[in-house]
């Protein structure tokens, strides 16, 4: 992750274990472990049961080896809920004096929703499978990317830290706009084409009525081809070939308003739209929903629509921005970029994470020694 290498610069000794859905030898060089080299690479692929039990056995073996060499972690930060890591945490909690288990919650589909009894019954008979909500009781604290998850962990009196994504300031594009372009306002979107990100719905709203403006789309994913097949000949849309992250930011800096049409989709309340950090690096105005606390990150200079009244609110905002002077759009885009580079660099996010981990370990250990129970705010 982006902050992993920055956390290493603090007074922490970190060892990491990764799990992949494709074999490590099939991953392009440098992509298997972004930011921090793994001490162990595990596999979770077909046939799932075989690879999961094998990975679990390898993980236990590695942990015992660390203990034999007098290295015992004070805390384990586990990313999301996955079968192998869930099984390992449940086993670890049965060992004498286990380390603190801290959940890094970046995604979950069923943590906050109602789970049917039929699904619960199926999970009972699936090997190494537990519901996300049933795994929360094994956690000692939570680091979450979504602001919407705070009450869930507060109700359980668990230490919780809101840590949305971050950005690398050196990637920011600061174009010199001596002369503002003319013509219709250019709205833009880059990112995955899947419904949970809102692109299909954005296209339908944009084309539902006549308005000044163009919509530029630089999307990836399987759904991209379906969208191009359906809308590729529409003169009000401009489809661009997928680019690298830096290439996408550079392209976005040529547009006027970047749209993050993230809807109230199942699971979105537990994750965060990292797209807004990439958008901010482009230095352009941003129109977005507020899902998962995006407004707390971008501040007052972003434009927002009501995700609870998606179509109507988004359409109204598009009309308003199509008539907004480019000078005002550029002013707001610059202000957003400055805010995120100043407050949400990966180095700053890594430092917040390191302080939280140390605080959780120290506070909970002190509470155990005194026989009491202490909460961390």
């Amino acid at each position: 992750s982006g902050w992993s290498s920055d956390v290493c610069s603090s007074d922490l000794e970190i060892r990491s274990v990764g799990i992949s859905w494709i074999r490590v030898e099939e991953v392009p060089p440098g992509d298997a472990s972004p930011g921090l080299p793994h001490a162990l690479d595990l596999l979770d692929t077909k046939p799932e049961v075989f690879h999961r039990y094998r990975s679990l056995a390898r993980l236990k073996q590695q942990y015992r080896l660390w203990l034999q060499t007098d290295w015992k972690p004070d805390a384990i930060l586990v990313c999301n809920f996955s079968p192998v890591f869930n099984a390992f945490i449940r086993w670890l909690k049965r060992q004498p004096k286990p380390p603190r288990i801290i959940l890094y919650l970046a995604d979950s589909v069923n943590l906050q929703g109602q789970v049917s009894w039929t699904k619960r019954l199926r999970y009972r008979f699936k090997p190494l499978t537990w519901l996300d909500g049933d795994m929360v009781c094994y956690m000692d604290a939570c680091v979450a990317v979504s602001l919407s998850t705070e009450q869930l962990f507060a109700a359980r009196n668990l230490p919780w830290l809101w840590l949305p994504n971050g950005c690398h300031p050196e990637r920011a594009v600061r174009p010199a706009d001596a002369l503002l372009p003319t013509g219709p306002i250019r709205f833009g979107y880059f990112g995955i084409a899947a419904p949970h990100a809102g692109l299909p719905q954005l296209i339908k709203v944009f084309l539902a009525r006549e308005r000044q403006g163009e919509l530029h789309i630089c999307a990836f994913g399987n759904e991209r081809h379906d969208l191009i097949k359906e809308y590729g000949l529409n003169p009000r849309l401009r489809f661009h070939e997928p680019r690298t992250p830096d290439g996408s930011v550079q392209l976005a800096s040529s547009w006027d308003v970047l749209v993050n049409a993230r809807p109230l989709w199942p699971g979105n309340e537990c994750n965060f739209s990292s797209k807004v950090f990439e958008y901010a690096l482009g230095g352009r105005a941003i129109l977005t929903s507020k899902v998962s606390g995006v407004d707390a990150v971008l501040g007052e200079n972003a434009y927002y629509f009501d995700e609870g009244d998606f179509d109507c609110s988004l359409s109204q905002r598009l009309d308003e921005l199509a008539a907004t002077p480019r000078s005002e759009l550029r002013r707001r885009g610059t202000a957003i970029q400055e805010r995120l580079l100043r407050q949400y660099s990966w180095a700053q996010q890594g430092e917040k994470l390191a302080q939280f981990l140390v605080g959780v370990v120290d506070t909970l250990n002190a509470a155990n020694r005194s026989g009491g129970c202490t909460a961390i705010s």
Side-chain angles (χ1 to χ4, degrees):
S1 64
W3 43 256
S4 58
S5 58
D6 294 301
V7 175
C8 292
S9 63
S10 63
D11 295 330
L12 301 178
E13 183 184 351
I14 300 175
R15 297 184 184 183
S16 68
V17 174
I19 191 163
S20 176
W21 287 264
I22 59 176
R23 299 181 185 277
V24 175
E25 57 267 22
E26 299 174 2
V27 180
D31 290 349
S33 175
L36 185 66
H38 291 319
L40 180 66
D41 286 295
L42 303 175
L43 194 61
D44 185 356
T45 188
K46 295 181 180 180
E48 286 90 349
V49 174
F50 169 78
H51 283 293
R52 287 173 181 175
Y53 274 110
R54 182 174 182 270
S55 293
L56 176 60
R58 291 183 62 204
L59 182 54
K60 290 180 180 179
Q61 181 184 31
Q62 182 65 61
Y63 184 77
R64 293 190 183 102
L65 179 61
W66 282 337
L67 295 183
Q68 292 171 7
T69 56
D70 294 327
W71 190 88
K72 180 180 181 180
D74 296 293
I76 291 180
L77 183 68
V78 56
C79 185
N80 295 328
F81 303 97
S82 64
V84 174
F85 290 150
N86 285 351
F88 176 72
I89 295 304
R90 294 168 71 95
W91 170 81
L92 196 61
K93 281 291 189 176
R94 297 193 296 268
Q95 308 308 305
K97 297 181 179 180
R100 301 300 177 183
I101 309 299
I102 302 173
L103 171 66
Y104 177 72
L105 181 59
D107 193 22
S108 174
V109 176
N110 60 46
L111 182 59
Q112 291 189 316
Q114 294 293 327
V115 180
S116 66
W117 68 269
T118 55
K119 187 172 185 177
R120 289 188 174 276
L121 183 62
R122 290 198 307 271
Y123 270 48
R124 275 181 172 269
F125 294 98
K126 293 180 68 174
L128 300 184
T129 304
W130 299 272
L131 291 169
D132 294 354
D134 294 340
M135 286 301 304
V136 171
C137 64
Y138 290 88
M139 307 300 168
D140 296 299
C142 176
V143 178
V145 300
S146 172
L147 191 59
S148 306
T149 61
E150 180 176 12
Q151 291 303 316
L152 176 67
F153 292 91
R156 292 168 170 78
N157 199 33
L158 290 177
W160 177 89
L161 171 69
W162 181 43
L163 194 77
N165 297 355
C167 56
H168 290 294
E170 63 272 15
R171 294 183 57 221
V173 176
R174 298 180 175 87
D177 289 325
L179 294 175
L180 294 176
T182 58
I185 293 297
R186 293 166 298 185
F187 296 92
Y189 173 97
F190 69 78
I192 193 168
H196 76 268
L199 178 57
Q201 201 165 350
L202 167 62
I203 293 176
K204 291 180 180 179
V205 171
F206 189 84
L207 297 178
R209 54 175 294 173
E210 291 293 331
R211 60 168 53 88
Q212 293 295 315
E214 302 172 343
L215 177 58
H216 292 254
I217 300 168
C218 179
F220 62 89
N222 295 331
E223 294 89 345
R224 168 179 172 267
H225 304 288
D226 295 331
L227 294 176
I228 292 177
K229 182 178 180 180
E230 184 173 359
Y231 300 107
L233 298 179
N234 193 299
R236 298 169 60 193
L237 303 181
R238 302 285 188 274
F239 284 92
H240 301 262
E241 289 296 315
R243 287 163 166 74
T244 64
D246 286 343
S248 297
V249 172
Q250 188 69 46
L251 177 63
S253 69
S254 67
W255 301 331
D256 299 301
V257 181
L258 308 180
V259 185
N260 174 41
R262 200 170 191 83
L264 292 172
W265 192 268
N268 276 356
E269 71 277 6
C270 287
N271 57 37
F272 191 87
S273 181
S274 59
K275 184 188 291 88
V276 298
F277 289 93
E278 296 293 292
Y279 278 7
L281 292 175
R284 294 305 185 227
I286 297 177
L287 170 62
T288 177
S289 65
K290 298 181 180 180
V291 175
S292 301
V294 165
D295 53 322
V297 172
L298 297 183
E300 61 183 12
N301 282 298
Y303 296 99
Y304 301 99
F305 70 92
D306 182 5
E307 60 272 10
D309 186 20
F310 193 100
D311 290 5
C312 182
S313 180
L314 176 57
S315 182
Q316 181 179 349
R317 273 302 199 179
L318 290 172
D319 285 341
E320 293 172 359
L321 294 179
T324 301
R326 276 192 168 92
S327 58
E328 173 62 11
L329 297 177
R330 297 295 163 87
R331 183 193 69 79
R332 286 185 176 240
T334 299
I336 293 172
Q337 185 184 75
E338 291 176 350
R339 172 187 172 89
L340 267 64
L341 297 184
R342 184 175 62 251
Q343 299 183 19
Y344 290 94
S345 71
W346 278 123
Q348 290 170 303
Q349 298 297 77
E351 185 61 31
K352 291 176 186 176
L353 176 60
Q355 292 176 358
F356 180 76
L357 297 179
V358 172
V360 166
V361 171
D362 290 347
T363 305
L364 293 181
N365 286 349
N368 279 354
R369 288 194 295 270
S370 63
C373 181
T374 304
I376 300 176
S377 60

